[in-house]
Amino acid sequence: MGSGGGALGLSSPLFANGHLSSSSNSTSLPLPVEDGNHLAMVKPSSSIVNLPHYKWRLLVAYDGTRYAGWQFQVSPPTIQCIVEKALIQITKLERECLHFVGASRTDTGVHAWGQVAHFITPFNYDSLETIHAALNGLLPSGIRVREISAATPEFHARFSAKSKVYHYKIYNDTIMDPFQRHYVYHSVYKLNSAAMREAAKMFIRKHDFSAFVNASRNDRVPDPVKTIFRFDVIEMGPLIQLEVEGSGFLYRQVRNMVALLIQIGKEAIPTEIVPKILATLDRRELAKYALSAPPHGLCLVSVKYNQEHLLLPSDCPTTSFGRHHTITKCKLPFY
């Protein structure tokens, strides 16, 4: 499987004419390689020059409880590291050749149902069902690849994203449901959901969210101006689900917004505090009222793209959604 030998090439290769440059200087020029989501320039290996390149899109779900977030690091383990190791084992490619990138760098303990990632191979696949089954066979049970599809050269899991949707779940009752304890934050304080809903609306529109970002030593200086398209507060019995969709989010921005809404729900502070804190552009101002909400209540639900970024290349293998096992003969006796 790793060699992909004998497979027909896609009509939309990653680079012009389906190959890296074959000029006399091509082996001495550095190539951009993404380490997690950071670009680095590396000298191309002679083994990857003049090979066709094909791009593949993954839809990944994971329970983030035991992992140190998405972004690559070996210890403690991250989701990207574990999925990447499985891809290396299956494709027999080096890490720098895969160019494996995720759409969102979820933090330690945060879950995902709809993380999107892409990787590159110098060979095509006739069918994606086999590699799909192999990936899930190698991955731990808390990480699952839900879909694999071919992607166009222009698609980029992170930079093509139009918006991201996160849900934060709060169990608002005196006694916590033990079956939800790893995925839902427990608030023993009775929360005023109407006040939370009113305050959440104040985050909608384009804002500078400097007051809601935590410093991260791993990040380059981000653009603090983001657009929140919707921020809904939905009650389902004792469960309060906060659903936020935005053009992008800063480090711990969602958890910081949720933390403030919880304080407002407790009626400890008024709803009008939201625009006041936003206007300060100062994280220290938010710290006077709330700390970050715990990570286990947060889940990346989906990443949205413009339709043209989701088009499949011509003559590509069919998208794999996994396959059911079947039996041709009943092995149990009839009674």
Side-chain angles (χ1 to χ4, degrees):
M1 173 188 291
S3 65
L8 294 176
L10 298 178
S11 60
S12 297
L14 180 62
F15 298 101
N17 301 320
H19 297 75
L20 292 170
S21 170
S22 59
S23 67
S24 59
N25 295 326
S26 62
T27 57
S28 62
L29 293 175
L31 291 174
V33 172
E34 296 202 42
D35 181 7
N37 287 296
H38 297 279
L39 282 174
M41 304 305 288
V42 300
K43 204 169 182 179
S45 167
S46 59
S47 62
I48 66 171
V49 175
N50 297 328
L51 289 177
H53 278 59
Y54 307 100
K55 187 175 280 190
W56 312 97
R57 178 171 48 242
L58 302 180
L59 183 61
V60 187
Y62 48 86
D63 177 341
T65 304
R66 298 174 54 211
Y67 301 103
W70 168 268
Q71 192 168 0
F72 184 90
Q73 67 181 37
V74 176
S75 181
T78 64
I79 306 295
Q80 181 179 0
C81 178
I82 291 172
V83 177
E84 208 168 70
K85 283 182 178 179
L87 284 170
I88 290 169
Q89 187 171 340
I90 291 169
T91 63
K92 312 302 181 189
L93 297 172
E94 298 295 330
R95 179 171 182 255
E96 62 268 18
C97 298
L98 285 171
H99 298 253
F100 185 54
V101 181
S104 182
R105 290 171 284 183
T106 56
D107 199 11
T108 299
V110 175
H111 315 292
W113 173 247
Q115 173 74 282
V116 178
H118 75 256
F119 69 98
I120 295 166
T121 61
F123 46 78
N124 193 15
Y125 287 100
D126 290 319
S127 170
L128 293 175
E129 285 192 345
T130 303
I131 184 177
H132 194 173
L135 267 175
N136 283 334
L138 289 172
L139 292 171
S141 59
I143 305 174
R144 279 293 169 263
V145 175
R146 294 172 52 205
E147 296 177 21
I148 303 183
S149 62
T152 60
E154 296 78 21
F155 175 80
H156 191 285
R158 182 185 176 197
F159 298 125
S160 299
K162 181 175 67 172
S163 69
K164 299 171 186 175
V165 179
Y166 281 91
H167 288 182
Y168 195 96
K169 294 183 179 181
I170 304 168
Y171 198 82
N172 191 205
D173 205 350
T174 55
I175 306 299
M176 178 61 183
D177 179 349
F179 296 103
Q180 300 191 58
R181 69 189 187 280
H182 294 308
Y183 313 104
V184 181
Y185 167 67
H186 182 211
S187 173
V188 295
Y189 295 91
K190 183 62 179 176
L191 299 178
N192 183 339
S193 59
M196 295 171 70
R197 193 172 294 112
E198 181 184 348
K201 291 179 181 177
M202 299 179 185
F203 286 113
I204 299 174
R205 299 194 321 271
K206 183 182 288 187
H207 294 287
D208 184 323
F209 284 95
S210 294
F212 287 84
V213 59
N214 282 28
S216 170
R217 65 179 182 272
N218 296 321
D219 271 342
R220 294 165 293 179
V221 178
D223 180 4
V225 178
K226 306 294 178 184
T227 301
I228 302 296
F229 301 116
R230 66 182 181 92
F231 204 152
D232 301 322
V233 178
I234 301 169
E235 285 188 277
M236 297 173 283
L239 193 69
I240 298 177
Q241 183 163 285
L242 280 60
E243 303 182 359
V244 58
E245 179 177 357
S247 59
F249 296 97
L250 302 167
Y251 181 55
R252 294 196 181 176
Q253 179 188 336
V254 176
R255 288 165 55 192
N256 287 334
M257 293 190 297
V258 167
L260 188 64
L261 291 181
I262 290 174
Q263 292 300 107
I264 291 170
K266 292 177 183 178
E267 299 181 340
I269 50 178
T271 57
E272 295 79 15
I273 200 71
V274 174
K276 291 180 180 178
I277 293 176
L278 280 168
T280 67
L281 308 181
D282 188 348
R283 177 66 179 82
R284 292 171 296 181
E285 188 66 23
L286 174 64
K288 296 176 183 178
Y289 304 98
L291 302 176
S292 292
H296 67 281
L298 185 61
C299 181
L300 172 62
V301 174
S302 65
V303 182
K304 297 183 179 181
Y305 299 90
N306 290 324
Q307 196 58 39
E308 59 265 25
H309 287 129
L310 299 178
L311 295 175
L312 298 177
S314 59
D315 302 324
C316 68
T318 304
T319 298
S320 174
F321 300 97
R323 59 187 175 194
H324 290 285
H325 291 270
T326 59
I327 57 174
T328 56
K329 182 179 180 181
C330 182
K331 298 179 180 180
L332 295 176
F334 290 100
Y335 294 100

